[in-house]
């Protein structure tokens, strides 16, 4: 009799434990199972200034993560494009928590509503018209008044010869599915110096229209290494190396994403601001 009673007790305890475990798994969000908390990441994004809770609610941001950002990240893991050491927290952080770059009001001296935009050497272009498991968005730089240099990535160009130069009309058309923001440095002489350096070091060593520099596409954490390269790293390097001894670009390490360029790259004296948005 006692034996039967103890069997019943053990059975009830087992059922209780199983039920509790099941309840935890059911109630646990995807965040906990995968080792991160969306709530914590949302707060980090606010603290970093990437988003304003008044204009982007937690529910809206969570929806972006679950339906857009995390699926991209997961596909990169599955395909091997993303190294196993890269966590979702890190991926989201270097992609500015999935938010477009904020315009720095300290440098807001241009009329961004005017449609009479003309390309100037050194202008920086950032768009959300493309995304991959590696990056959200794309970046490019003007090397002349009608030449835009970029690294389009594996979906468009040759992996071993990825750098290219398009006219402004061609580049704008290629990334017309979303918004395009154009940033400009107030110091036009410095911007022109950077543009010349960029053209001769990332496209044509002679400064001609004939390309004789081939740069392979690749994403790594070596910020100062010119090869391989990727879109936003090239733009960062252009201003870092092309500005010479001037204190223009803030030194940094690791991956630099398109959305992070405007807010983490430049010293205040050489800040950039939006001159146009499409």
């Amino acid at each position: 009799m006692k034996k039967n009673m103890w069997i019943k007790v053990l059975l009830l305890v087992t059922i209780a434990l199983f039920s509790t475990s099941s309840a935890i798994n059911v109630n646990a969000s995807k965040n906990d199972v995968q080792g991160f908390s969306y709530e914590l990441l949302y707060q980090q994004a606010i603290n970093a200034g990437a988003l304003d809770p008044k204009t982007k609610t937690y529910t809206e941001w969570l929806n972006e993560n679950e339906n857009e950002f995390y699926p991209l990240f997961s596909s990169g893991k599955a395909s091997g494009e993303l190294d196993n050491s890269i966590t979702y927290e890190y991926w989201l952080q270097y992609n500015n928590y999935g938010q477009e770059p904020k315009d720095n009001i300290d440098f807001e001296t241009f009329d961004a509503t005017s449609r009479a935009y003309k390309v100037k050497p050194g202008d920086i272009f950032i768009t959300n018209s493309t995304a991959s498991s590696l990056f959200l968005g794309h970046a490019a730089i003007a090397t002349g008044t009608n030449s835009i240099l970029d690294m389009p990535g594996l979906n468009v160009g040759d992996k071993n010869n990825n750098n290219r130069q398009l006219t402004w009309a061609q580049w704008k058309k290629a990334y017309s599915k979303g918004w395009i923001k154009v940033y400009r440095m107030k110091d036009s002489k410095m911007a022109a110096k950077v543009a010349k350096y960029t053209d001769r070091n990332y496209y044509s060593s002679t400064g001609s229209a004939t390309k004789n520099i081939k740069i392979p596409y690749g994403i790594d954490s070596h910020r100062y290494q010119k090869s391989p390269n990727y879109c936003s790293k090239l733009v960062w390097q252009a201003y870092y190396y092309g500005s010479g001894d001037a204190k223009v670009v803030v030194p940094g390490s690791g991956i630099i994403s398109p959305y992070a360029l405007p807010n983490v790259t430049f010293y205040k004296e050489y800040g950039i601001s939006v001159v146009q948005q499409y």
Side-chain angles (χ1 to χ4, degrees):
M1 190 74 176
K2 277 187 177 182
K3 186 176 180 182
N4 290 337
M5 182 182 71
W6 278 111
I7 291 175
K8 289 180 180 179
V9 171
L10 287 172
L11 183 60
L12 289 172
V13 170
T14 302
I15 292 172
L17 288 173
F18 178 78
S19 299
T20 303
S21 175
S22 297
I24 290 173
N25 288 330
V26 169
N27 294 327
S29 63
K30 184 191 301 181
N31 334 353
D32 303 317
V33 173
Q34 293 163 348
F36 63 87
S37 165
Y38 278 125
E39 291 88 349
L40 181 59
L41 289 174
Y42 180 71
Q43 189 58 52
Q44 288 177 358
I46 294 172
N47 295 340
L51 62 79
D52 184 347
K54 294 179 181 178
T55 57
K56 178 66 65 70
T57 67
Y58 172 71
T59 301
E60 291 171 332
W61 186 76
L62 180 62
N63 184 61
E64 289 178 340
N65 276 269
E66 293 183 333
N67 296 307
E68 182 181 353
F69 308 150
Y70 194 80
L72 281 172
F73 172 80
S74 296
S75 69
K77 285 286 190 175
S79 67
E81 286 183 292
L82 287 175
D83 188 83
N84 287 331
S85 64
I86 297 177
T87 64
Y88 185 61
E89 297 99 311
Y90 179 61
W91 182 91
L92 198 61
Q93 183 182 28
Y94 77 64
N95 274 297
N96 202 42
Y97 298 93
Q99 307 308 298
E100 67 180 85
K102 285 191 173 182
D103 305 332
N104 196 327
I105 59 174
D106 291 338
F107 312 126
E108 201 63 41
T109 58
F110 299 95
D111 179 11
T113 62
S114 172
R115 293 297 169 187
Y117 167 71
K118 292 183 179 180
V119 178
K120 285 190 176 183
D123 281 357
I124 296 172
F125 307 87
I126 298 176
T127 177
N128 71 338
S129 288
T130 182
S132 70
S133 61
L134 302 166
F135 284 129
L136 297 174
H138 183 55
I141 183 171
T143 54
T145 56
N146 193 34
S147 52
I148 314 300
L149 180 68
D150 70 355
M151 302 277 295
L154 303 181
N155 292 333
V156 178
D158 182 343
K159 179 181 180 180
N160 297 314
N161 182 19
N162 201 251
N163 53 318
R164 67 174 182 181
Q165 201 160 255
L166 301 177
T167 65
W168 165 232
Q170 289 171 331
W171 197 90
K172 183 181 175 184
K173 182 179 180 180
Y175 298 99
S176 60
K177 292 182 180 179
W179 51 258
I180 296 174
K181 283 190 174 185
V182 186
Y183 292 83
R184 179 173 295 164
M185 180 175 285
K186 287 190 286 186
D187 189 329
S188 58
K189 289 185 178 180
M190 177 58 74
K193 177 181 177 181
V194 167
K196 183 177 180 180
Y197 171 89
T198 306
D199 184 47
R200 291 176 178 268
N201 286 270
Y202 294 91
Y203 191 75
S204 171
S205 60
T206 62
S208 71
T210 303
K211 175 182 175 181
N212 65 2
I213 298 174
K214 297 179 180 181
I215 303 176
Y217 184 85
I219 296 178
D220 55 36
S221 59
H222 304 298
R223 183 82 65 90
Y224 301 89
Q225 184 176 304
K226 292 184 178 180
S227 180
N229 220 313
Y230 55 88
C231 64
S232 42
K233 178 182 172 182
L234 187 152
V235 174
W236 187 90
Q237 287 184 352
Y239 269 92
Y240 181 80
Y241 291 120
S243 56
D245 295 330
K247 208 171 183 180
V248 174
V249 174
V250 179
S253 60
I255 295 171
I256 179 80
S257 73
Y259 291 174
L261 275 173
N263 300 325
V264 304
T265 299
F266 300 92
Y267 282 107
K268 188 172 182 178
E269 310 87 82
Y270 290 97
I272 60 175
S273 61
V274 174
V275 294
Q276 184 59 284
Q277 180 168 351
Y278 297 91

